[in-house]
Amino acid sequence: MSESEFPFTGSDDTLNSQDDVGALSQFRHGAQDRRLLELARLDAGIIAANSDFDDKPWGLLYRALIDSIGLSPDDFQLTYPSTQWDWSRTQAGFIPAAQYDFCATAPQWSAIGAYVSSGDTVHQAYQQFLNVIPAQTEYRSLRQHLHDADDALVVATNHYTLATTSAASAYANQVEDHPPSFSEWLGSPRGRSYQNRIVAAQVAMNQAQAHYSNLIAQCEQPELGDAQRRCGNEDFHVRYADLNLIRLPKVPDWQIDQNAADWVAKVEAGEGPAGVTLGFSNREAPYDFAQTWAGRRGRIRQLFWQVRINGHWERIDEFEFDNKLELSLDFQAVDRIGIRPGEWFDGEFARSMIDGPFMPGYSPFGGDSIETRGQPVFGEKGFFGLIKNGMCVGYKPSFVIRTTTSTFRRFVDPFKAATGLRVGPFTFEAEGGSIAAGWKADAATQTFSGTTTSRRPLIIGATVSELPNASV
């Protein structure tokens, strides 16, 4: 660039890429509202019809898991609904849609959180974090170009956010639990029209982002320019392995430490991780969620005890109100599988910006003073808050539930008719029915017991890190 192209304005005029408030970013300013909308959708489902259920067992299970598996309340999130870890192996440059959705979707700010595969992605939050860092330049013309490019980028991003939010709403109305995940659904006949809108909006947004990033590279901040280039570098992006999603642009790469099929093969050969037994009694005191990384207890939006009969999940009232009930869970194997973003993510640069500075209207964590007011970037109310760095998986869980005599008598017939049982986030499959699956109801000991017939590992939860000081 030459000075004739970008006239010099003087050393006392260090310029900012945004001196005044332009178009409002729906992604950055609407992040918390979208999370609340997700919870409202969950509330409109099972909890609306079962508002009096007891969520104490969720806390007891959380405590049993961290005490037995070596997890920590400092970073563990118990996840529901039950999600299977059955992502297929792909060739280099591709990623299964379900793997991308689980790894890329930012978790909820709660020690026990619903997994929503259509939620905000870490990549877009990271890109928006980079976009609110002021770019300094001594050239007035470049300053104006940056201002115009930023406005155009916000408008394009708003169109993309609207397209994905609309698709997420339709997905929530059509799909109960998983599968399919959100991206898989976009490739289905019901989701294809939404996929087309997302593709059109994403192409325009990516073009606007590339133009803005190129202007950033001409400013006097090489670290910011390098981070922008890495974030948009297609060498660090991959394509969906699903053929129905081939039209979608590349997505940022996410890597896992092991392949699911290889992991299962090792476990079944006796060469995998050890198993674990855990449990609790309804007589135990409730768990204090103030001890967790989330800082407080969030409302759980799924019944803990459910039985599937004739294809429908039903509440097990008998278990909820049995104060003497005892639960024992045994996993053939339990493991933590590492998750990490590809090279598009510059964690060192993100950590260096914990105190900002950010553009007018934004602050690191928000606050009430003049210095801290504005839309927070980090934290629970920010748009760049959490990232998964691992997942806890379990294989072939078995259950033993000891009840009182009266509870046993009331539940024995539904148990014999069951084709599935839910214990918190865990789904026990009984292919052909509980009797065919070898499940037992023992009147002598007032116990129900069984082992899932599924050979697919279950994702128990995730380990999370708070941004920008994320450990990934």
Side-chain angles (χ1 to χ4, degrees):
M1 117 187 28
S2 66
E3 292 190 6
S4 61
E5 182 179 1
F6 297 119
F8 184 70
T9 59
S11 59
D12 59 341
D13 194 9
T14 301
L15 301 176
N16 196 302
S17 63
Q18 182 176 327
D19 277 359
D20 50 66
V21 177
L24 187 69
S25 169
Q26 296 301 315
F27 181 87
R28 300 191 291 251
H29 291 266
Q32 188 177 26
D33 289 341
R34 285 192 299 278
R35 290 193 288 267
L36 293 174
L37 180 59
E38 288 173 354
L39 297 180
R41 288 170 182 154
L42 294 168
D43 279 342
I46 192 167
I47 298 305
N50 302 278
S51 59
D52 62 336
F53 87 104
D54 180 15
D55 58 8
K56 173 184 172 182
W58 285 98
L60 299 180
L61 177 62
Y62 186 91
R63 177 167 57 198
L65 285 167
I66 60 178
D67 288 346
S68 303
I69 301 181
L71 300 167
S72 170
D74 293 338
D75 65 359
F76 176 60
Q77 180 187 67
L78 179 60
T79 304
Y80 70 91
S82 178
T83 305
Q84 294 178 333
W85 181 38
D86 57 356
W87 309 328
S88 60
R89 182 187 291 104
T90 60
Q91 65 187 66
F94 292 86
I95 190 171
Q99 175 179 331
Y100 174 78
D101 285 343
F102 184 85
C103 296
T105 301
Q108 293 178 353
W109 203 284
S110 176
I112 300 178
Y115 166 53
V116 181
S117 62
S118 57
D120 289 348
T121 63
V122 173
H123 170 263
Q124 189 172 5
Y126 174 63
Q127 180 67 80
Q128 293 302 307
F129 152 75
L130 296 178
N131 290 348
V132 297
I133 298 173
Q136 297 176 345
T137 177
E138 295 181 337
Y139 296 94
R140 187 177 300 278
S141 179
L142 177 55
R143 172 190 183 180
Q144 186 61 50
H145 287 317
L146 279 164
H147 187 280
D148 294 343
D150 178 63
D151 279 351
L153 175 57
V154 169
V155 171
T157 302
N158 285 348
H159 290 160
Y160 175 77
T161 301
L162 178 62
T164 54
T165 302
S166 175
S169 179
Y171 171 75
N173 290 333
Q174 296 179 18
V175 178
E176 184 177 350
D177 297 341
H178 303 285
S181 71
F182 177 61
S183 293
E184 290 174 314
W185 174 81
L186 287 175
S188 71
R190 291 187 296 177
R192 198 158 295 139
S193 62
Y194 293 95
Q195 179 190 155
N196 294 337
R197 297 174 202 169
I198 289 174
V199 169
Q202 187 172 356
V203 168
M205 180 183 69
N206 288 350
Q207 291 173 344
Q209 181 66 60
H211 176 57
Y212 181 76
S213 299
N214 287 336
L215 292 173
I216 292 291
Q218 300 176 47
C219 296
E220 291 80 37
Q221 288 170 282
E223 296 86 358
L224 176 59
D226 289 343
Q228 286 276 14
R229 279 192 293 271
R230 283 179 60 175
C231 189
N233 191 338
E234 289 217 347
D235 290 343
F236 306 141
H237 291 59
V238 291
R239 291 201 177 278
Y240 285 116
D242 309 59
L243 292 178
N244 291 328
L245 300 173
I246 199 67
R247 289 185 60 247
L248 283 171
K250 286 185 174 183
V251 294
D253 190 19
W254 286 85
Q255 300 164 6
I256 56 175
D257 288 348
Q258 296 189 57
N259 171 264
D262 293 342
W263 187 87
V264 170
K266 290 180 180 179
V267 169
E268 294 185 338
E271 302 172 354
V276 68
T277 299
L278 57 96
F280 64 81
S281 166
N282 277 355
R283 293 187 296 270
E284 297 178 33
Y287 179 71
D288 181 8
F289 279 92
Q291 304 175 48
T292 70
W293 62 271
R296 67 174 184 272
R297 176 180 176 179
R299 177 89 183 272
I300 293 100
R301 290 161 170 83
Q302 178 176 296
L303 297 173
F304 191 90
W305 299 106
Q306 297 179 80
V307 62
R308 186 172 60 210
I309 299 176
N310 296 326
H312 299 285
W313 288 104
E314 300 178 7
R315 174 178 179 173
I316 309 176
D317 301 271
E318 295 86 353
F319 289 178
E320 287 188 32
F321 303 113
D322 186 340
N323 292 328
K324 295 184 179 180
L325 181 144
E326 297 176 358
L327 167 69
S328 177
L329 297 175
D330 182 83
F331 290 87
Q332 185 175 329
V334 171
D335 205 0
R336 181 190 178 279
I337 309 298
I339 296 172
R340 59 189 181 280
E343 293 185 56
W344 53 267
F345 182 77
D346 189 340
E348 182 177 352
F349 178 75
R351 287 187 288 273
S352 73
M353 296 299 298
I354 189 169
D355 296 318
F358 297 110
M359 289 180 176
Y362 298 90
S363 63
F365 294 94
D368 298 326
S369 68
I370 295 177
E371 293 78 10
T372 61
R373 70 178 50 164
Q375 165 64 42
V377 175
F378 311 122
E380 184 176 3
K381 296 182 180 180
F383 58 86
F384 187 48
L386 298 173
I387 186 173
K388 298 185 182 84
N389 58 32
M391 60 182 180
C392 183
V393 299
Y395 185 68
K396 279 280 186 179
S398 301
F399 65 89
V400 177
I401 303 170
R402 184 182 300 278
T403 69
T404 60
T405 301
S406 58
T407 296
F408 182 88
R409 289 173 177 171
R410 288 196 300 269
F411 186 65
V412 66
D413 288 337
F415 182 78
K416 291 179 179 179
T419 58
L421 182 71
R422 275 183 177 166
V423 180
F426 310 126
T427 300
F428 296 85
E429 297 291 346
E431 186 176 348
S434 62
I435 296 177
W439 293 8
K440 295 180 180 180
D442 188 339
T445 58
Q446 292 89 48
T447 58
F448 301 98
S449 60
T451 301
T452 182
T453 56
S454 174
R455 294 181 61 247
R456 297 176 176 177
L458 291 175
I459 298 177
I460 298 172
T463 51
V464 303
S465 290
E466 294 184 34
L467 294 160
N469 286 329
S471 174
V472 291

